[in-house]
């Protein structure tokens, strides 16, 4: 730390030379405080300490009286010509009047001031002392000098022996002859009030003579001064007569000082300080203003310096006016929080020096005012700058502007208070941005996805985020609190809804919920039932961070049966996820699947078992009410959804039909009106329930006799190829017949004249001797096979050509899928205008077929000769109509396609 010290001293010396002052006799010990500087400014010695009092330090100033230091109490300082001012950060300026007490005055020319500064830091024992000795030379004393310092008024005048005293008294009443000097003072308040020097000193006044001058000093607001408004400016006035006894007699000096205590006008950006142009208490006759100067902090400024800082000094008829822009760097701003509202003040200490000459007496007066000014508190409500870009998913908030003496301590969130450090640790970036002029703004970034943010959804897909914070500031150094509350909102269409997907296997639905942005914040309903924890367990709920799955058996209570076919059941599961607060449905899924279910079993020994299922369309059905044709045949078992029938082929009203090589046993499960019991089981709105039970038995020719022989025993033997035969008609996606539309693809959309490829298959038969023949196929606009209008496609097993469209049979050959081509039939046709009204753009078409299953081992006759093989029939194809065919001994089946939507325009 050696280097800065030397530098500092060097700077000081240069500064003092520059001011044209005498060689400084300055001593700083034991260690210089950073920025301790003594200089001479006119009739004052100025001592500047930078931040000496920061952090609550206490400063004591002692003046050297000969060899002894005397503590300058505020009262003694005001009495003796010392003043001290500190800003809130401890920057201190001490002025010593060169005519003050304790100074070493050599002929009013060289004046030495010795001061000791004691800085108490944390405790009275932790003290740093600085000794300052400064000699100032001042030779330009005016005949009369008036000084208005911060805490006192001082007036001095030239005192030439025998020359200029106002009165010459011959006797000195009441004093001993040998005591010379001031012995009495008479104050004018304006009433005269006399006291001897000692009394006056006890009252706080000071009066003394120097080599050439007589000096009187009074603190402000003493009993013997008075206030007077001069041109509207309040002034404090001291008028006193000094009785001075000298060797050669008694002199009386009349002295007067008048100092302004007001005269300020403030605007937002300007301070106007009005000093009366004629300080009437000081003047007898007319005067001439010879010179005037303004200064700052006791130091006179020249015109260029004033212009550079925007200061302005001018005269009007009644005033000398000093104008200072608020914010000039010579002063300082300070924050305040009256009623916790942010305010600032600005403080500056201008100086005014006026030099005037009395017209009559030609007497000169130098008048100097040091005048600290602080503006009234100016409200500066902090602004809030919301720089949030919602897409960034964080709040970005700026609060400002604050002076440098404001510090952010903590931030109160809805969840609690965090210090700045804790906020940063939580990931809320808190920053202070300092501008060049020392003011700053604070910013905070708070991500949307934290617990201090309140979220709500005004719409299904929109989230509104709310940030509520209170900034806790302190104003330094006094640590007063200042709070600033801010609430911000941002909305973002950022909600990702949960999605439901599902698949099925042989016996279960698999439902997968992919969680959306709200996580698992939803309720689930499966088939109308809330997914309670018990149900979730039953459905083997499994979840990870992103998905949840359940497995629902197709026969679970949550599922609905839609359709029953001989070998499958179509069950549907409705899954719904919804917001429990808003009741918004977030996602839904209606998943219908075919599950293999053999409802009918035909045993070789003639036993038939059949399962009846309650489908959704008959909601009021109680399966236990179902019977076979013989109403005495009731279910062997039943529950609320199923009824199981077991009966032998010769009972329960089972009908038997013989075909060439087959026997068909047929019964029907139905809800018959039981008039005897007087019960009506069906609700009028329910469709009729009817489920056909059929068993086909291939008759082994070699055992026909045995069969007939045993027919009485109702034991049909049908080991060969026993079981059910079903047919399916599917629409292929193209002519390759490799891919087919699935049940869920219906209605299939097609365009006019786009070919449709149909395949009809005899499924679930392992018998290679069976062949499938398409007898009649036709199209309708309605689902019902018999609805009108209808258009022929295949008539009497032959492709129908006419009306400008053609049906084409496509050959079936062996491939991966097809092992027995005879069990398949393929045909194609072009979508045509099935409409009557041309304006119909879109409508549905159903294709229906009657078909025949033939046994290729038996002699072929009739239709079983082959597809369009019967020429006799072929010849009359156009005349043959559906339903005209008489029953034959072959097995007939019926089949229909699902809806195909036809678009008229491509
Ligand atoms: C200052 O010193 C003088 C001379 O030593 C002494 O008479 C006077 O009382 C002292 N003043 C104070 C205030 O102690
Ligand atoms: C300081 O600078 C900032 C930014 O330029 C400005 O907004 C603010 O008003 C200035 N404050 C003062 C006291 O000059
Ligand atoms: C937060 O800071 C303010 C201002 O300094 C203060 O008044 C308040 O007590 C602080 N709160 C907590 C919990 O620290
Ligand atoms: C969560 O489960 C889903 C569905 O079961 C799965 O696709 C996903 O990979 C799993 N994620 C993790 C992180 O395990
Ligand atoms: C017929 O066969 C089935 C299956 O093997 C058997 O369950 C049933 O009891 C038999 N019925 C008779 C009457 O033997
Ligand atoms: C008919 O049954 C007999 C005896 O069970 C068997 O040998 C014969 O192969 C069967 N015929 C056919 C065509 O399956």
């Amino acid at each position: 730390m050696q280097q800065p010290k030397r530098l500092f001293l060097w700077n000081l010396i240069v500064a003092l030379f520059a001011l044209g002052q005498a060689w400084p006799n300055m001593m700083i010990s034991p260690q210089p405080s950073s920025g301790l500087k003594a200089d001479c400014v006119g009739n004052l010695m100025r001592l500047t300490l930078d931040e000496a009092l920061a952090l609550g330090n206490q400063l004591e100033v002692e003046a050297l009286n000969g060899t002894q230091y005397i503590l300058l109490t505020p009262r003694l300082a005001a009495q003796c010509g010392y003043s001290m001012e500190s800003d809130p950060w401890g920057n201190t300026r001490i002025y010593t009047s060169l005519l003050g007490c304790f100074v070493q005055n050599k002929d009013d020319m060289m004046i030495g001031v010795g001061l000791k500064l004691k800085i108490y830091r944390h405790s009275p024992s932790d003290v740093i002392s600085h000794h300052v000795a400064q000699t100032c030379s001042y030779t330009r004393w005016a005949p009369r000098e008036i000084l208005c310092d911060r805490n006192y008024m001082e007036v001095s005048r030239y005192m030439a022996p025998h020359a200029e005293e106002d009165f010459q008294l011959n006797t000195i009443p009441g004093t001993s002859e040998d005591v010379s000097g001031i012995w009495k003072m008479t104050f004018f308040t304006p009433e005269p009030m006399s006291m001897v020097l000692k009394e006056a000193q006890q009252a706080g006044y000071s009066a003394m003579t120097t080599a050439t001058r007589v000096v009187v000093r009074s603190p402000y607001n003493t009993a013997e001064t008075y206030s007077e408004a001069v041109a509207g400016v309040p002034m404090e006035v001291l008028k006193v007569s000094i009785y001075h006894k000298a060797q050669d007699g008694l002199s009386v000096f009349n002295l007067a000082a008048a100092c302004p205590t007001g005269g300020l006008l403030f605007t937002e950006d300007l301070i106007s300080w009005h000093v009366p142009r004629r300080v009437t208490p000081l003047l007898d006759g007319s005067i001439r203003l010879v010179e005037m100067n303004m200064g700052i902090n006791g130091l006179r400024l020249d015109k260029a310096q004033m212009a550079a800082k925007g200061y302005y000094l001018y005269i009007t008829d009644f005033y000398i006016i000093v104008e200072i822009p608020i914010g000039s760097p010579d002063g300082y701003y300070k924050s305040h929080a009256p009623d916790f509202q942010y305010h600032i003040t600005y403080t500056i200490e201008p100086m005014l020096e006026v030099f005037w000459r009395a017209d009559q007496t030609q007497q000169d007066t130098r008048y100097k005012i040091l005048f600290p000014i602080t503006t009234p508190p100016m409200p500066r409500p902090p602004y809030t700058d919301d720089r949030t870009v919602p897409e960034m998913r964080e709040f970005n908030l700026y609060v400002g502007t604050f002076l440098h003496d404001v510090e952010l301590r903590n931030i109160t969130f809805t969840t609690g208070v965090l210090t700045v450090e804790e906020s940063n640790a939580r990931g809320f970036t808190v920053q202070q941005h300092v501008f060049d002029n020392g003011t700053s703004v604070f910013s905070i970034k708070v991500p949307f996805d934290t617990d201090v943010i309140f979220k709500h959804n005004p719409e299904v897909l929109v989230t509104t985020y709310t940030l509520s914070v209170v900034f806790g500031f302190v104003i330094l150094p006094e640590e007063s609190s200042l709070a600033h509350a801010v609430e911000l909102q941002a909305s973002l269409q950022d909600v990702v809804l949960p999605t439901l997907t599902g698949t099925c296997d042989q016996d279960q639905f698999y439902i997968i919920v992919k969680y959306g942005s709200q996580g698992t914040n939803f309720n689930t309903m499966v088939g109308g039932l809330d997914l309670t924890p018990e149900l979730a367990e039953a459905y083997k709920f499994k979840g990870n961070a992103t998905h949840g799955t359940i497995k629902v058996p197709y026969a679970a209570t949550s599922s609905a049966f839609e359709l029953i076919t001989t070998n499958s059941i179509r069950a549907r599961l409705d899954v719904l996820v919804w917001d429990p607060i808003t009741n918004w449905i977030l996602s839904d899924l209606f998943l219908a699947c075919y599950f293999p279910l053999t409802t009918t079993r035909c045993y070789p020994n003639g036993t038939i078992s059949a399962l009846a299922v309650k489908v959704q369309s008959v909601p009021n059905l109680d399966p236990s009410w179902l019977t076979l044709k013989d109403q005495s045949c009731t279910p062997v078992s039943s529950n609320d959804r199923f009824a199981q029938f077991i009966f032998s082929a010769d009972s329960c009203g089972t009908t038997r039909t013989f075909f060439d090589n087959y026997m068909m046993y047929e019964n029907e499960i139905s809800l018959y009106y039981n008039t005897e019991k007087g019960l009506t089981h069906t609700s009028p709105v329910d469709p009729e329930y009817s489920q056909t039970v059929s068993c086909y038995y291939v008759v082994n020719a070699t055992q026909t006799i045995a069969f007939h022989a045993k027919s009485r025993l109702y034991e049909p033997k049908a080991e060969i190829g026993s079981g059910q035969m079903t047919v399916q008609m599917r629409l292929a996606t193209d002519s390759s017949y490799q891919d087919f539309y699935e049940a869920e693809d219906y209605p299939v959309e097609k365009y006019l004249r786009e070919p449709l490829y149909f395949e009809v298959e005899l499924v679930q038969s392992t018998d290679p001797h069976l062949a499938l023949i398409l007898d009649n196929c036709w199209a309708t606009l309605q689902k019902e096979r018999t609805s009108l209008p209808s258009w022929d496609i295949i008539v009497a097993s032959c492709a129908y050509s006419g009306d400008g469209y053609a049906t084409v049979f496509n050959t079936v050959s062996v491939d991966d899928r097809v092992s027995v081509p005879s069990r398949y039939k393929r045909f194609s046709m072009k979508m045509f205008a099935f409409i009557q009204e041309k304006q119909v753009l879109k409508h549905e078409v159903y294709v229906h077929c009657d078909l025949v299953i033939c046994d290729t081992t038996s002699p072929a006759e009739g239709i079983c000769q082959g597809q369009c093989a019967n020429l006799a029939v072929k010849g009359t194809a156009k005349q043959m109509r559906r339903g005209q065919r008489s029953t034959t001994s072959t097995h007939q089946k019926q089949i229909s396609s699902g809806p195909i939507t036809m678009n008229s325009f491509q």
Side-chain angles (χ1 to χ4, degrees):
M1 296 302 287
Q2 280 301 105
Q3 196 63 22
K5 180 169 125 193
R6 259 189 268 120
L7 204 64
F8 160 75
L9 282 173
W10 189 83
N11 279 345
L12 180 68
I13 290 161
V14 169
L16 289 168
F17 268 122
L19 288 168
Q21 303 292 349
W23 180 262
N25 170 17
M26 183 168 174
M27 179 186 73
I28 294 172
S29 67
Q31 272 163 8
S33 159
S34 67
L36 173 61
K37 190 171 130 186
D39 56 6
C40 304
V41 287
N43 54 1
L44 293 169
M45 194 280 276
R46 182 176 72 165
L47 189 64
T48 311
L49 282 108
D50 290 345
E51 297 179 13
L53 301 185
L55 303 166
N57 290 350
Q58 294 289 319
L59 175 68
E60 272 183 5
V61 184
E62 294 177 351
L64 184 62
N65 180 26
T67 55
Q68 214 186 348
Y69 280 102
I70 294 159
L71 176 66
L72 291 172
T73 60
R75 181 188 154 94
L76 188 61
Q79 184 171 26
C80 283
Y82 294 82
S83 73
M84 182 172 101
E85 286 272 315
S86 296
D87 72 15
W89 304 278
N91 300 305
T92 303
R93 276 190 314 278
I94 299 169
Y95 292 123
T96 304
S97 165
L98 296 187
L99 295 175
C101 320
F102 315 125
V103 303
Q104 288 182 315
N105 186 335
K106 191 163 179 294
D107 299 330
D108 290 338
M109 311 267 275
M110 293 289 284
I111 291 139
V113 180
L115 290 177
K116 182 157 90 177
L117 309 180
K118 287 163 99 173
I119 300 172
Y120 294 91
R121 293 199 287 192
H122 304 292
S123 65
S125 59
D126 182 4
V127 55
I128 294 181
S129 295
H130 298 292
H131 295 264
V132 179
Q134 173 75 31
T135 302
C136 293
S137 137
Y138 187 68
T139 53
R140 300 180 298 132
W141 294 105
R144 179 165 66 160
E145 298 230 349
I146 295 163
L147 172 65
C148 300
D149 203 334
R150 300 133 162 179
N151 50 348
Y152 64 86
M153 320 186 250
E154 181 189 271
V155 54
S156 72
R157 55 175 287 183
Y158 183 65
M159 181 189 68
H162 317 297
E164 293 172 37
E165 64 271 30
D166 297 314
F167 294 100
Q168 192 81 52
L169 295 180
N170 294 325
T171 56
I172 304 160
T175 54
S176 62
E177 293 285 314
D178 55 332
V179 175
S180 66
I182 299 167
W183 66 276
K184 195 183 91 167
M185 299 164 78
T186 298
F187 294 92
F188 300 92
T189 67
E191 281 71 40
M193 169 77 198
S194 295
M195 48 180 98
V196 296
L197 179 61
K198 201 171 183 100
E199 288 170 333
Q201 284 172 341
Q202 275 163 4
Y205 302 102
S206 173
M208 65 177 204
T209 54
T210 65
T212 60
R213 302 181 78 79
V214 55
V215 189
V216 177
R217 198 176 301 108
S218 164
Y220 292 111
N221 296 316
T222 57
E224 285 74 31
T225 60
Y226 65 94
S227 295
E228 182 180 331
V230 180
V233 175
M235 300 196 86
E236 187 147 354
V237 181
L238 168 71
K239 274 191 176 169
V240 64
S241 294
I242 302 290
Y243 292 78
H244 181 260
K245 194 183 84 170
Q247 222 85 62
D248 46 357
L250 185 67
S251 308
V252 178
F253 300 96
N254 291 332
L255 293 112
C259 293
T261 55
L264 291 168
L265 287 179
F266 299 101
T267 65
E268 257 305 295
D269 44 24
L270 194 69
I271 299 168
S272 302
W273 176 28
H274 292 64
V275 177
R277 181 171 178 171
R278 285 176 53 83
V279 184
T280 44
L282 305 178
L283 305 170
D284 292 333
S286 63
I287 53 133
R288 190 160 56 84
L289 247 174
V290 179
E291 194 187 334
M292 66 182 182
N293 291 294
M294 83 161 280
I296 293 288
N297 295 338
L299 196 62
R300 189 186 290 177
L301 301 178
D302 62 27
K303 289 210 152 45
Q305 289 168 320
M306 283 172 59
K309 292 179 170 176
Y311 301 142
Y312 201 33
L313 173 65
Y314 61 100
I315 311 179
T316 63
D317 285 347
F318 296 105
Y319 301 105
I320 299 166
I321 298 172
V322 176
E323 282 184 354
I324 298 168
I326 289 176
S328 150
D330 290 325
Y332 63 87
Y333 281 108
K334 177 79 188 82
S335 299
H336 303 270
D339 300 328
F340 303 103
Q341 302 298 306
Y342 189 57
H343 287 70
I344 62 171
T345 57
Y346 176 72
T347 300
I348 191 164
E349 187 176 41
M351 177 185 81
L352 177 68
E353 280 182 325
V354 185
F355 192 79
W356 72 70
R357 180 163 294 161
D359 284 341
Q360 288 169 345
T361 61
Q362 297 294 301
Q363 196 185 38
D364 292 339
T365 299
R366 178 171 285 114
Y367 182 49
K368 174 167 173 173
I369 312 168
L370 302 171
F371 203 69
I373 299 170
T374 297
T375 64
M378 301 177 276
R380 288 287 183 278
Y383 74 86
T384 299
D385 186 6
D386 180 2
R387 300 197 198 167
T388 306
V389 179
E391 286 67 29
M392 307 277 286
R393 299 197 62 76
E394 66 175 11
F395 281 107
N396 190 1
L397 165 64
Y398 282 72
V399 178
T401 46
F402 296 100
L403 297 180
H404 65 284
D405 57 350
V406 173
E407 195 176 282
L408 178 59
R409 277 284 160 85
N410 61 37
I411 301 167
T412 307
F413 297 94
T414 48
T415 52
V417 187
L418 297 181
T419 64
V420 170
E421 295 71 31
E422 289 166 342
S423 303
N424 277 313
R426 282 283 312 269
F428 313 150
T429 315
V430 182
Q431 284 176 315
Q432 180 173 10
H433 310 265
V434 183
F435 296 117
D436 288 345
N437 62 17
T439 64
S440 52
V441 299
F442 296 89
S443 69
I444 182 167
K445 291 181 180 174
V446 183
F448 284 175
D449 303 303
T450 55
D451 60 352
V452 305
I453 304 289
F454 175 74
K455 295 171 196 151
H456 91 279
N457 300 93
E459 293 167 42
V460 180
L461 294 174
V462 176
T463 313
T464 297
Y465 299 90
T466 307
L467 171 68
S468 252
V469 287
V470 181
F471 292 95
F473 297 103
V474 289
I475 296 174
L476 297 175
E478 67 270 23
E479 303 249 340
S480 50
S481 297
L482 173 67
H484 183 61
V486 180
E487 182 169 307
L488 295 187
Q489 279 201 342
S491 290
L492 198 54
Q493 190 168 333
D494 61 354
V495 177
V496 178
L497 294 178
T499 46
L500 284 164
T501 48
T503 57
C504 301
D505 67 3
Q506 298 283 302
D507 46 28
Q508 300 191 94
F509 295 98
Y510 288 89
I511 305 295
I512 302 170
V513 190
K514 185 175 179 221
Y515 303 148
S517 54
Q518 318 286 70
T520 53
N521 235 342
F522 57 77
N523 284 7
T524 308
M525 203 176 250
V526 180
L529 301 173
D530 279 320
L531 191 69
T532 56
E534 298 76 41
L535 203 56
E537 197 185 331
Y539 292 161
K540 302 196 166 50
F541 173 82
K542 280 207 186 92
N544 59 25
T546 56
H547 294 75
T549 58
I550 50 171
K551 295 177 187 175
V552 182
Y554 79 87
T557 46
S558 302
S559 75
F561 298 144
E562 290 190 321
L563 189 71
I564 181 100
T565 70
T566 45
N567 51 21
S568 70
I569 182 164
R570 192 168 84 203
R572 197 188 73 235
L573 191 66
D574 298 346
V575 187
L576 211 64
V577 297
W578 50 283
D579 186 309
I581 295 162
T582 59
N583 284 343
W584 289 327
I585 291 172
L586 306 176
S587 183
D588 56 15
L589 175 72
F590 307 104
L591 178 64
C593 290
Y594 285 87
F595 295 95
L597 177 67
T598 307
T599 51
T600 306
R601 282 181 198 281
C602 308
Y603 295 104
N605 62 8
T607 298
I608 298 170
S609 78
L611 186 68
V613 176
K614 172 178 156 180
V615 290
Q616 206 186 14
S617 53
V618 283
N620 295 314
L621 176 75
D622 180 342
S624 69
W625 298 338
L626 294 168
T627 65
L628 291 166
K629 272 184 180 161
D630 179 343
Q631 291 171 39
S632 63
C633 293
T634 55
V636 295
S637 64
S638 69
N639 59 23
D640 60 337
R641 309 183 89 183
F642 296 99
Q644 177 78 49
F645 293 87
I646 298 177
F647 58 99
S648 62
D650 62 339
S651 65
C652 295
T654 309
T655 58
R656 186 173 60 182
T657 314
F658 286 96
F659 298 100
D660 290 347
N661 304 90
Y662 300 92
M663 285 187 296
M664 180 176 74
Y665 290 85
E666 218 166 30
N667 206 321
E668 196 176 35
I669 300 169
S670 185
L671 189 62
Y672 298 95
Y673 288 95
N674 192 333
T675 45
E676 279 174 28
K677 289 181 188 169
L679 292 173
T680 310
H681 291 313
T682 49
S683 136
V685 294
D686 276 1
E688 254 179 61
Y689 185 91
S690 162
Q691 185 176 334
T692 303
V693 179
S694 318
C695 280
Y696 305 91
Y697 293 94
V698 177
V699 179
N700 185 331
T702 61
Q703 290 190 340
T704 306
I705 295 161
F707 176 77
H708 283 292
K710 289 184 178 179
S711 64
R712 285 183 298 122
L713 302 173
Y714 303 103
E715 285 182 349
K717 291 268 181 189
E719 290 91 342
I720 302 164
S722 71
Q724 273 183 293
M725 288 177 292
T726 52
V727 283
Q728 69 175 10
M729 175 155 74
R730 294 193 292 173
L731 183 60
T733 55
D734 56 39
S735 60
S736 71
Y737 287 95
Q738 289 304 315
D739 296 307
F740 297 90
Y741 293 103
E742 300 294 331
E744 56 268 27
D745 297 329
Y746 286 91
V748 172
E749 292 235 351
K750 289 289 176 185
Y751 291 99
L752 201 61
R753 302 198 197 297
E754 192 180 347
L756 301 181
Y757 300 96
F758 287 98
E759 181 185 84
V760 185
E761 179 190 356
L762 177 59
V763 287
Q764 283 205 346
S765 169
T766 49
D767 190 338
H769 306 298
L770 298 182
L772 181 74
I773 304 291
L774 299 178
D775 190 0
N776 290 303
C777 293
W778 66 101
T780 60
L781 298 180
Q782 258 104 52
K783 200 172 177 180
E784 288 71 38
R785 299 166 62 82
T786 54
S787 69
L788 291 171
S790 71
W791 292 266
D792 286 321
I793 298 168
I794 292 166
V795 175
S797 93
C798 291
Y800 180 81
S801 334
D803 302 347
Y805 59 90
T807 305
V808 177
F809 280 108
N810 300 311
T811 52
V812 184
S813 44
V814 175
D815 63 18
D816 288 349
R817 197 164 61 80
V818 176
S819 53
V820 184
S822 65
R823 298 220 308 272
Y824 295 81
K825 280 290 173 298
R826 290 173 181 169
F827 64 93
S828 63
M829 59 181 214
K830 293 230 170 78
M831 282 296 269
F832 46 89
F834 286 115
I835 41 166
Q836 290 147 317
E837 297 92 17
K838 286 275 194 297
Q839 63 268 33
V840 176
L841 299 180
K842 201 168 182 179
H843 57 92
E844 286 184 343
V845 171
Y846 297 82
V847 172
H848 314 275
C849 288
D850 289 334
L851 48 94
V852 176
I853 299 165
C854 299
D855 182 356
T856 52
T857 56
S858 61
E861 63 170 41
I863 193 144
C864 283
Q865 288 171 10
Q867 195 78 48
C868 206
N870 187 337
L871 293 177
V873 173
K874 192 180 181 180
T876 58
K878 278 189 181 171
Q879 286 73 48
M880 293 289 289
R881 302 312 283 178
R882 292 180 304 284
Q884 292 178 334
R885 289 176 56 84
S886 55
T887 51
T888 70
S889 55
T890 52
H891 173 55
Q892 294 179 314
K893 288 223 84 166
Q894 297 182 327
I895 194 147
S896 299
S897 75
I900 299 159
T901 303
M902 196 178 83
N903 291 305
S904 296
F905 296 107
Q906 213 155 344

